[in-house]
Amino acid sequence: MEGEDYKYHRIQDALTSINQKVSLFGSVIEIGLPRKTRGTDWVCTLKIIDDSFCKNGLTVNMFSSTVEMLPRILSLGDIIQLSRVLIKSHHGEANAVFNKSYSWFALYEAKIDGDFLPYQCSPKYNPRDDNFNYVSALRKWLADFRLDDGSDSFIFLREMKEREQATLACKVLHICKVSEKQWMVLLWDGTDSPPNKIDSKLENKWEKPFPLQVEPLPLARDISCTFPAVGTILRVMIDQENEKHVLHLLNIGKWVKFLSILCEVHVGLWRGVLTPFTKLRYISNESPIALACQKSSDARLSSRSRRIPYWCFAWHSSVTEIDYDGTTFVTLMDVLTHSQVTAKFKCIVRAVAAFPWEVEDYCNSDGTYGIRLTIEDPTARIHAYIYAEDGEEFFGGHPSIDVLRNKRNTLLGVAVNDEGKEVTGAPRNPPWIECCIKSYYIDINNKWGSRHFRIFATKHVA
């Protein structure tokens, strides 16, 4: 057995051992998704720290013949024992390379009362009597250590850009399976995602309404009621291939940093998608990032005005006026999670869809209005009806078809040319409007299941 197998380096010392094989103990603070190399191997990337090198961490590239033989970290922060890894220099920065031919690893829990037997090890693992000392010392150090989470190297949800691969620092709110081959993780940082333009070609039929969420079916009410009332909740889709590598690292109520996550817009809604280069990085719930986001959210919740969407400050458009002073402005998440089935609310929203679309169909044969709007704010999207006398108030009686069409175009952000005609195929950018919403039920035996929403005391004045 070669001598370096018996000498464990501190990470700081290993950095100077370029082109040499070293052995290390470290805490895994970052892990990337496994991916195929250009050959037949698999590779994943870790970052590890110890008491000698705890700012950015040492990058370790782990290679193996199969994905099953790569390290499967059970929890960010767990301890890895690495033997005979080669220290290389790339663009002036040292990193370690785990070679499947001569290197080996073992994984241990980071918790102070964890087992001293590894929960995973590679075939060449060589147990030693002094492993106990190294693991114990690292656990004691980790118990009092607060990681530098790199607070300047991420963006808020309000800063997302479509098709950008971003680094997000968020709290995990919920994890669920949405189809046979796909899971979804719900993330939140207390900020409002940017409003999106709406594809004018999207269908909005009675039997195929404009979607209210990214997932196929809405979440159960008891789950939604656990969510914050302010701030966007980003859905991150995880396919079956990545499920076993990601889900066990995410814990509800814990903060985590996603590196290189793709930000997409789907039917006007933001969603995150994992890429081959996505990595997860540990963040403490007591980190500056987490504490600042929570403090900002608490301030919004306690303010009478700050539940208004971030994107309509200093004020919303003047397209509508309301005649109801019974409450302060609330978010659509407030509406959805209200404790009573029937209630009245004031909101600032965007109308992203209408059914029917043609204004000639807004009234039935006796002149009664019947329209279903799809409205949204940064927290949620709902269907809300404009019916009968509420429609007369909203549209100012029964104006001409041309006036009604202009009101629709203004309300839904339809692009028009200099002659006032709709620009075919142009995306829509609805304005922020104020409106009053009342909730009601249509089945006394299933009040919550038959809960609907209706716009009232609101007038289109543009």
Side-chain angles (χ1 to χ4, degrees):
M1 191 70 68
E2 294 186 29
E4 61 263 26
D5 283 331
Y6 290 94
K7 179 183 179 182
Y8 282 90
H9 288 70
R10 300 170 77 212
I11 294 176
Q12 183 67 57
D13 298 330
L15 297 178
T16 62
S17 305
I18 304 299
N19 296 324
Q20 297 180 47
K21 299 185 187 72
V22 301
S23 296
L24 305 163
F25 277 88
S27 172
V28 180
I29 59 165
E30 183 180 298
I31 182 168
L33 298 178
R35 64 181 187 273
K36 255 313 190 40
T37 66
R38 294 180 181 177
T40 59
D41 284 349
W42 286 83
V43 62
C44 74
T45 301
L46 313 176
K47 276 197 174 182
I48 64 172
I49 60 171
D50 67 6
D51 62 340
S52 72
F53 194 75
C54 53
K55 183 173 177 59
N56 297 316
L58 171 68
T59 298
V60 184
N61 297 303
M62 308 284 299
F63 292 88
S64 72
S65 302
T66 66
V67 68
E68 291 77 16
M69 295 181 68
L70 289 171
R72 187 177 187 273
I73 312 298
L74 293 184
S75 180
L76 288 170
D78 277 357
I79 295 167
I80 189 167
Q81 177 184 7
L82 294 165
S83 182
R84 295 173 58 76
V85 292
L86 183 64
I87 302 297
K88 303 287 289 184
S89 179
H90 182 66
H91 296 309
E93 184 174 334
N95 63 82
V97 178
F98 179 97
N99 189 299
K100 62 181 182 180
S101 299
Y102 53 76
S103 307
W104 58 259
F105 74 85
L107 292 171
Y108 306 85
E109 294 176 304
K111 57 185 182 181
I112 198 73
D113 58 348
D115 201 328
F116 285 96
L117 293 175
Y119 61 77
Q120 183 190 358
C121 55
S122 54
K124 293 182 173 63
Y125 169 64
N126 178 34
R128 286 177 36 179
D129 293 338
D130 58 352
N131 286 353
F132 171 91
N133 296 328
Y134 289 106
V135 173
S136 180
L138 200 48
R139 282 175 175 168
K140 290 178 181 178
W141 173 72
L142 289 169
D144 299 320
F145 172 68
R146 177 173 291 181
L147 176 67
D148 179 356
D149 53 35
S151 300
D152 58 344
S153 58
F154 74 101
I155 66 169
F156 291 109
L157 293 183
R158 68 167 180 252
E159 300 170 297
M160 288 188 297
K161 296 179 181 177
E162 188 176 2
R163 293 183 292 274
E164 177 183 63
Q165 293 194 26
T167 294
L168 304 173
C170 296
K171 185 179 183 179
V172 178
L173 296 182
H174 185 64
I175 302 170
C176 61
K177 193 172 187 178
V178 294
S179 70
E180 184 179 349
K181 296 183 178 180
Q182 196 168 55
W183 286 73
M184 181 176 71
V185 177
L186 280 65
L187 304 178
W188 171 91
D189 69 4
T191 66
D192 293 346
S193 61
N196 294 302
K197 292 188 176 181
I198 307 297
D199 186 349
S200 61
K201 296 180 180 179
L202 287 174
E203 291 185 273
N204 185 31
K205 301 179 180 178
W206 185 260
E207 68 276 10
K208 188 179 180 180
F210 207 71
L212 301 182
Q213 64 280 321
V214 171
E215 60 272 23
L217 296 173
L219 298 173
R221 172 179 162 77
D222 61 341
I223 294 173
S224 297
C225 287
T226 66
F227 297 159
V230 296
T232 295
I233 298 173
L234 180 70
R235 272 71 168 166
V236 177
M237 313 314 292
I238 299 177
D239 58 31
Q240 193 174 33
E241 182 178 340
N242 289 318
E243 167 198 337
K244 57 186 176 183
H245 305 301
V246 175
L247 291 184
H248 66 280
L249 295 172
L250 303 174
N251 297 293
I252 295 174
K254 299 295 185 181
W255 286 75
V256 66
K257 184 181 286 188
F258 282 82
L259 291 81
S260 193
I261 191 169
L262 179 63
C263 301
E264 287 187 344
V265 176
H266 177 66
V267 293
L269 296 166
W270 286 101
R271 70 177 181 184
V273 179
L274 303 186
T275 75
F277 302 99
T278 298
K279 299 175 183 178
L280 274 67
R281 186 176 176 91
Y282 170 84
I283 301 180
S284 166
N285 280 22
E286 288 72 43
S287 70
I289 292 177
L291 294 177
C293 288
Q294 193 63 58
K295 181 178 180 180
S296 176
S297 174
D298 292 343
R300 291 186 70 183
L301 288 171
S302 63
S303 169
R304 293 177 62 88
S305 63
R306 292 185 66 188
R307 294 194 186 209
I308 294 174
Y310 171 85
W311 296 99
C312 66
F313 280 118
W315 197 238
H316 50 82
S317 72
S318 57
V319 170
T320 60
E321 292 178 353
I322 59 175
D323 185 21
Y324 180 65
D325 296 324
T327 184
T328 58
F329 286 107
V330 299
T331 68
L332 290 182
M333 184 61 75
D334 284 312
V335 173
L336 288 172
T337 59
H338 190 71
S339 59
Q340 301 297 317
V341 177
T342 59
K344 295 180 179 180
F345 312 91
K346 287 197 309 187
C347 298
I348 295 180
V349 300
R350 301 197 312 158
V352 295
F355 176 83
W357 179 259
E358 298 299 336
V359 296
E360 291 86 349
D361 300 323
Y362 277 10
C363 294
N364 61 19
S365 58
D366 66 1
T368 302
Y369 280 99
I371 307 157
R372 182 188 65 202
L373 291 183
T374 305
I375 59 176
E376 70 174 18
D377 72 2
T379 69
R381 182 184 280 182
I382 67 172
H383 295 313
Y385 295 87
I386 301 178
Y387 183 70
E389 67 275 8
D390 293 325
E392 294 181 15
E393 181 175 12
F394 190 88
F395 292 111
H398 291 82
S400 68
I401 292 299
D402 286 341
V403 171
L404 204 55
R405 185 177 292 110
N406 288 336
K407 286 180 179 291
R408 179 204 66 184
N409 290 345
T410 303
L411 179 67
L412 281 98
V414 176
V416 296
N417 59 25
D418 293 338
E419 299 175 354
K421 294 183 178 180
E422 183 179 345
V423 179
T424 304
R428 295 184 287 106
N429 189 21
W432 292 102
I433 63 167
E434 58 182 5
C435 70
C436 297
I437 300 170
K438 56 184 174 183
S439 59
Y440 60 99
Y441 59 87
I442 57 178
D443 183 354
I444 195 170
N445 297 313
N446 183 19
K447 292 183 179 181
W448 284 110
S450 66
R451 191 180 189 221
H452 283 59
F453 304 100
R454 183 169 162 176
I455 292 175
F456 77 102
T458 304
K459 185 176 182 178
H460 192 310
V461 295

